[in-house]
Amino acid sequence: MKQGTWYKGITMLAVWLALTAVPLAAQDGSFKNGQLWPDTEGKHINAHGGNILRHVDTYYWYGEQRPDRGYTMDGGIAVYSSTDLRHWKNEGLALQLSAEPGSDIERGCIMERPKVVWNEKTQRFVMLFHLELKGKGYEAARVGFAVSEHATGPFRFIRSTRLHAGRWPFDMTEKDIEAAKQTNAAAWTKWWTPRWRREVQKGMYLWRDFEGGQMSRDMTVFVDDDGRAYHITSSQENLTLLVSELTDDFLDFTGKYNMVAPGGQNEAPCIFHRGEDYWLICSGCTGWDPNEARMFRSKSIWGPWTQLPSPFTGIATGYRDMPANKTFGAQGTFIFKNDTTYVFMADIWNPRHLSRSLHLWLPIHFTEKEVPVIPWTTETP
């Protein structure tokens, strides 16, 4: 959830402007959704859009260290550590902004959705994140790579790039490729018409960005049971999701990728694998405003993906009574497994004071047919 659906304006919910009145969770480490969550120093945890990584006996929480005012970065990517998922110690910045003028990650850039995973083969921690270059707004739409030998960093920035320049999705037929080549994104000044949607589904924006590389904005990284890792991102003007296979060291793409829900306008992807099913939970694109989540199921990471109704149910009782069809006022960032429980973690954005955006952690339940259901609960799992 960023600066407007198309990154051309900022919309805000007036209901979020009074977050300074939100009660503080107990200092003993207990946490209730819809409240500020203090770290071991009593300060609200400033790690947003990130993920949880368990390594050995310690949990690490990575996320955007957001400024109190504004949207560009003035610090970097934060990391906190815990042994119980309740008490979190601020370990500082895992990845700091560069002081070098012209660096991709110089102060004033935008770094979002950081995801850190452990690479068993290289014995290193790898970070991927959405990167926007200084002074370019949301035009760059890149993915950044960084690496470290230690969970808390410092991470070393390697490079940023767009995706798959000069490559077609592996499952596109010659007929599909020819159809995509007949599209012309520059010819469409009016969006959202049925004809425009059909062109998007043909691959209009895929073709537009074919030579320079595909866009990458809201993203996640998923390591499957076999150790293979995948980058999943909102691309093509946030209209289409891309699933891309990473190399063995997680620091590049193998070139194998495909599209999910072309024209579906999904962002903030969160994914998990349980039994025979892969589950993908995303949000719509409504700027900072909350919306109804979307859920997809597949038997393979490569699809086909079938869309199901939103898994959220109930009312956020005790937190402004936000309904399920607004995802309780939040936007997903990651799904992690704690023992046998899958936990959906999300941000309740406060665009006036991003550093004070709240956290939402909800356990995922399953129906008799093994379909995820996420009800509101005040207490964290």
Side-chain angles (χ1 to χ4, degrees):
M1 196 172 294
K2 308 297 182 295
Q3 299 181 36
T5 302
W6 305 111
Y7 305 87
K8 294 180 180 178
I10 299 173
T11 57
M12 301 180 181
L13 281 183
V15 73
W16 287 344
L17 303 186
L19 274 178
T20 53
V22 174
L24 190 69
Q27 294 292 326
D28 63 1
S30 63
F31 165 68
K32 292 185 177 181
N33 287 312
Q35 297 185 1
L36 295 171
W37 191 345
D39 62 19
T40 55
E41 297 177 353
K43 299 178 181 179
H44 179 56
I45 296 171
N46 189 0
H48 307 283
N51 75 312
I52 300 294
L53 173 67
R54 184 176 185 178
H55 186 68
V56 190
D57 295 324
T58 303
Y59 297 93
Y60 298 94
W61 183 349
Y62 302 90
E64 307 155 11
Q65 186 191 73
R66 285 290 192 167
D68 188 53
R69 302 283 184 176
Y71 304 95
T72 60
M73 306 299 288
D74 61 5
I77 303 302
V79 57
Y80 293 75
S81 66
S82 173
T83 56
D84 58 9
L85 291 174
R86 290 292 186 274
H87 302 81
W88 291 95
K89 177 185 177 183
N90 187 348
E91 299 283 0
L93 293 176
L95 175 63
Q96 294 189 7
L97 295 174
S98 173
E100 180 183 352
S103 167
D104 285 0
I105 60 168
E106 69 175 307
R107 186 176 302 276
C109 72
I110 299 174
M111 294 192 292
E112 297 176 334
R113 302 275 160 177
K115 301 294 181 287
V116 175
V117 290
W118 169 249
N119 188 295
E120 190 65 34
K121 292 183 179 180
T122 64
Q123 296 288 292
R124 296 197 296 182
F125 297 89
V126 180
M127 178 190 296
L128 280 73
F129 56 96
H130 165 209
L131 176 67
E132 299 293 346
L133 303 178
K134 179 181 179 180
K136 300 292 185 179
Y138 279 84
E139 174 186 319
R142 295 187 181 193
V143 58
F145 293 86
V147 66
S148 176
E149 285 70 38
H150 306 284
T152 56
F155 279 75
R156 176 173 56 88
F157 176 70
I158 297 175
R159 71 183 186 289
S160 74
T161 183
R162 279 204 171 187
L163 280 58
H164 311 305
R167 288 182 176 269
W168 295 102
F170 79 94
D171 55 353
M172 280 190 77
T173 66
E174 289 298 326
K175 182 179 179 180
D176 292 337
I177 292 173
E178 287 306 312
K181 289 181 177 180
Q182 299 308 310
T183 62
N184 181 8
W188 292 89
T189 57
K190 186 177 181 181
W191 291 16
W192 310 116
T193 66
R195 287 184 60 199
W196 173 85
R197 284 189 179 277
R198 286 195 292 271
E199 295 297 288
V200 171
Q201 291 169 353
K202 287 180 184 178
M204 178 168 65
Y205 293 107
L206 173 71
W207 175 234
R208 182 199 67 180
D209 296 336
F210 184 74
E211 292 298 331
Q214 303 302 313
M215 307 172 86
S216 178
R217 287 181 175 151
D218 277 13
M219 51 138 285
T220 192
V221 176
F222 171 67
V223 181
D224 210 343
D225 300 335
D226 61 1
R228 298 299 309 178
Y230 303 87
H231 174 259
I232 303 167
T233 192
S234 186
S235 188
Q236 299 173 22
E237 302 293 354
N238 286 14
L239 291 165
T240 302
L241 293 171
L242 299 185
V243 176
S244 305
E245 185 180 61
L246 294 172
T247 53
D248 287 346
D249 60 6
F250 302 170
L251 293 175
D252 204 349
F253 299 98
T254 66
K256 183 178 181 179
Y257 78 103
N258 72 350
M259 299 188 294
V260 177
Q265 199 181 14
N266 295 288
E267 65 177 10
C270 303
I271 188 172
F272 70 102
H273 183 197
R274 181 176 184 267
E276 297 181 353
D277 295 312
Y278 292 83
W279 297 95
L280 185 60
I281 299 176
C282 309
S283 78
C285 302
T286 53
W288 296 106
D289 298 355
N291 55 61
E292 187 171 24
R294 295 90 179 270
M295 182 168 70
F296 300 83
R297 175 172 61 187
S298 176
K299 297 295 182 183
S300 166
I301 189 73
W302 299 116
W305 294 87
T306 301
Q307 185 167 357
L308 281 72
S310 168
F312 295 87
T313 180
I315 298 290
T317 305
Y319 174 68
R320 302 190 177 96
D321 295 334
M322 274 285 189
N325 65 4
K326 294 293 185 182
T327 318
F328 308 131
Q331 185 184 40
T333 176
F334 193 69
I335 295 171
F336 68 93
K337 188 177 182 181
N338 180 29
D339 295 327
T340 60
T341 301
Y342 294 87
V343 180
F344 175 84
M345 61 185 296
D347 294 290
I348 301 173
W349 292 113
N350 175 12
R352 281 287 182 89
H353 303 282
L354 284 173
S355 64
R356 292 172 66 83
S357 296
L358 302 178
H359 305 290
L360 178 70
W361 285 20
L362 296 173
I364 300 176
H365 302 269
F366 295 88
T367 68
E368 292 181 356
K369 295 184 178 181
E370 298 298 312
V371 176
V373 177
I374 307 178
W376 168 262
T377 179
T378 301
E379 301 290 337
T380 55

